Amino acid sequence: MPLLTVLASASLLAATASDSVPRAVPSGPFVAPVALAVPFRAPVDTTKRARKAVTYSDGYYKRLAIHKTLSWAMLPLFAASYLSGDQLLDKGDDAPDWAQSVHPIAATGSAVLFGANAFTGGWSLWEGRKDPNGRTRRLLHSALFMVATGGFAYAGSIADQAEENGVMRERHRNVAVASMSASTVSWLIMLIGN
C-alpha cells in the first residue's frame, strides 16, 4: 500500500468526528493509531543554494591594480583644480599665472584619469558581474563614479562660457565641486570597504 494512503487512513482513524450514536468503550488494552514518521523536507524556496565559485582572470587583477593606482592620483588633481580654479573665479584675468596654467592641466589630467578608470573599472565590473560578494558596494561605487564623470563632462563643456560669463563661471565651479565630492565618496566606499 502506498505511503500516502497509509498516512491518509491513519489520520482519518485518529480524527473521526463525534456523532450522536453512543459507542461502547472497548475493554482490554487500548492501541492508539501510530503516525508514521516522514523525514522533514523544507520547501524548495527556503533552501539556500550553494554559492558558485567565481574565477577572475589575470587581466582582472592587472586592471584592478591600474584602477587603484590611478584613484590615488585623483585627490591631488582635485586639489590642484580646486585651488587654481578658486583663484580664477575670484580674480578672473588678474589671477596668478600659476593658476591660469595649472587649471587646464589639472582638468585635463582629471579627464584622462576618469577615462582610464572608467575603462578599467567598467571592464572589471563586467567580469565580476556574477560575484555576489560586495556587489552592492561595487554597483554603488560605479553609479557614483558615473555621476561624477557626467558632471565633469558637463563642467568641461561649459568651460569656455565660464571664462566670459560670471553665472556660467559659478555653475562650472559648483558642478565641478559636486562631481569631486561624488567621486571622493565613491572612492571612500571602495577604500573603506576593502
Side-chain angles (χ1 to χ4, degrees):
M1 188 182 298
L3 180 62
L4 187 58
T5 307
V6 171
L7 288 176
S9 301
S11 64
L12 287 175
L13 288 174
T16 56
S18 61
D19 55 13
S20 60
V21 179
R23 295 183 186 214
V25 177
S27 62
F30 178 73
V31 178
V34 178
L36 300 174
V38 177
F40 175 75
R41 186 170 186 182
V44 175
D45 61 343
T46 61
T47 57
K48 291 189 176 189
R49 298 166 103 187
R51 287 190 174 181
K52 292 182 180 178
V54 178
T55 305
Y56 289 105
S57 68
D58 291 338
Y60 173 87
Y61 293 104
K62 289 176 185 173
R63 287 188 305 276
L64 183 63
I66 292 167
H67 190 80
K68 286 181 176 182
T69 302
L70 289 177
S71 70
W72 283 99
M74 178 183 68
L75 295 179
L77 284 171
F78 286 173
S81 293
Y82 180 79
L83 294 173
S84 60
D86 192 48
Q87 290 290 314
L88 293 170
L89 187 65
D90 289 344
K91 299 176 182 166
D93 291 337
D94 296 333
D97 289 339
W98 70 266
Q100 292 180 12
S101 61
V102 165
H103 192 71
I105 293 170
T108 302
S110 295
V112 170
L113 180 138
F114 267 70
N117 265 357
F119 178 75
T120 58
W123 193 347
S124 295
L125 182 66
W126 177 255
E127 187 171 334
R129 69 192 178 279
K130 294 182 181 178
D131 188 357
N133 299 319
R135 177 178 290 150
T136 302
R137 186 171 35 97
R138 287 192 315 268
L139 292 176
L140 182 59
H141 167 71
S142 300
L144 283 170
F145 184 80
M146 288 294 140
V147 166
T149 302
F152 283 127
Y154 177 67
S157 72
I158 62 172
D160 290 338
Q161 298 170 14
E163 290 178 10
E164 308 294 326
N165 184 333
V167 173
M168 294 305 283
R169 195 174 298 135
E170 289 284 332
R171 182 178 296 165
H172 174 81
R173 184 200 54 185
N174 292 342
V175 169
V177 168
S179 298
M180 287 179 200
S181 301
S183 179
T184 303
V185 168
S186 171
W187 177 69
L188 287 172
I189 286 171
M190 294 308 283
L191 185 68
I192 293 169
N194 289 334

